[in-house]
Amino acid sequence: MLYEDFTKLEQLALGKGKFKALCEEKSWVTQNLKPTISLRDYQKEAIGRFEYYWNGYLAKESPKHLLYNMATGSGKTVVMAALILDLYGKGYRNFLFFTRLGNIVTKTKLNLVRELSSKFLFAETLSFDGTPVSVKEVNTFAGASDSNINILFTTTGNLHDKLNNPSENSLTFEDFRRLKVCLIADEAHNLTADTRKRINFQEMEL
């Protein structure tokens, strides 16, 4: 697994604390999180491993596809927010957040786009290279500002309907062909379970 490979790499070649240091160098990320947030060591390491995978790991696949296996209460949404900031710095503007349950979508909106929420994870004022940045919830990426962090929230069922029954001002497959979009799947184990259930049902139908 990639986690074990990176752990060995840090021990044998990169030097202890390398991944943590990579995170601490990302001032754009750390300065644009909510000031009251103090990243835990393992969160810093997770962010640093992402940075190394992106810029230093020669065996990475394309498109890049990574899974974070983090326990409930370990601050995975903070890591998510940090990586959204990091990817903005890498040229990404459009983010699609999807998960199976609607209540998770609602909770995550409080973290990522509801500026007046006590659970909001970004700084009150964001800036990148001196330019102000806004975090916006969008229903489609068409016409979304190229200077903002644009996040589209949906459930897996709703996403399926949008893509397979396109309508005006809605997400389409064409958006993925012409735009750089980062897909963020929360509760990925549930997505896999749902897929497995559908496959079994189809097999029964056959």
Side-chain angles (χ1 to χ4, degrees):
M1 292 177 64
L2 195 61
Y3 177 84
E4 283 80 5
D5 290 345
F6 275 24
T7 298
K8 291 178 183 176
L9 187 64
E10 185 181 34
Q11 292 170 345
L12 300 176
L14 299 177
K16 187 176 180 181
K18 173 65 175 179
F19 297 128
K20 218 176 116 179
L22 284 175
C23 170
E24 291 169 345
E25 292 169 7
K26 306 292 291 184
S27 59
W28 150 246
V29 173
T30 55
Q31 291 174 9
N32 282 285
L33 289 172
K34 190 175 182 178
T36 55
I37 292 174
S38 179
L39 291 172
R40 304 165 193 168
D41 283 348
Y42 63 82
Q43 291 171 321
K44 291 180 180 179
E45 181 153 339
I47 295 164
R49 285 176 181 240
F50 177 85
E51 181 65 21
Y52 180 78
Y53 180 84
W54 193 282
N55 289 321
Y57 187 59
L58 299 180
K60 60 179 172 288
E61 300 178 353
S62 185
K64 301 171 187 70
H65 185 193
L66 296 171
L67 172 68
Y68 281 82
N69 184 8
M70 299 178 68
T72 300
S74 60
K76 63 180 180 179
T77 313
V78 172
V79 173
M80 185 191 305
L83 294 183
I84 287 173
L85 291 169
D86 187 45
L87 284 165
Y88 184 94
K90 291 176 168 59
Y92 284 80
R93 300 294 182 267
N94 303 306
F95 300 85
L96 173 62
F97 175 92
F98 63 101
T99 188
R100 184 174 65 91
L101 300 174
N103 65 324
I104 295 177
V105 171
T106 301
K107 290 178 181 178
T108 307
K109 286 182 182 182
L110 294 176
N111 296 135
L112 301 182
V113 294
R114 300 289 188 260
E115 296 180 11
L116 298 180
S117 169
S118 61
K119 299 180 182 297
F120 189 63
L121 297 176
F122 297 116
E124 184 176 341
T125 303
L126 280 73
S127 64
F128 180 69
D129 285 344
T131 302
V133 176
S134 296
V135 184
K136 298 293 185 183
E137 179 182 1
V138 298
N139 294 318
T140 176
F141 297 125
S145 172
D146 201 37
S147 62
N148 292 340
I149 295 173
N150 307 301
I151 309 179
L152 193 159
F153 297 88
T154 185
T155 61
T156 50
N158 195 19
L159 178 61
H160 181 274
D161 290 340
K162 285 181 178 180
L163 293 175
N164 290 286
N165 302 286
S167 60
E168 189 176 358
N169 297 322
S170 182
L171 187 69
T172 67
F173 284 112
E174 182 59 29
D175 291 325
F176 297 102
R177 282 188 278 267
R178 63 185 183 82
L179 298 170
K180 290 172 67 173
V181 180
C182 173
L183 307 181
I184 305 171
D186 198 11
E187 300 287 340
H189 59 286
N190 284 329
L191 300 179
T192 304
D194 284 354
T195 303
R196 185 66 247 172
K197 288 175 185 176
R198 282 198 297 272
I199 292 173
N200 287 338
F201 181 74
Q202 290 167 355
E203 289 171 350
M204 289 172 65
E205 287 285 293
L206 293 172

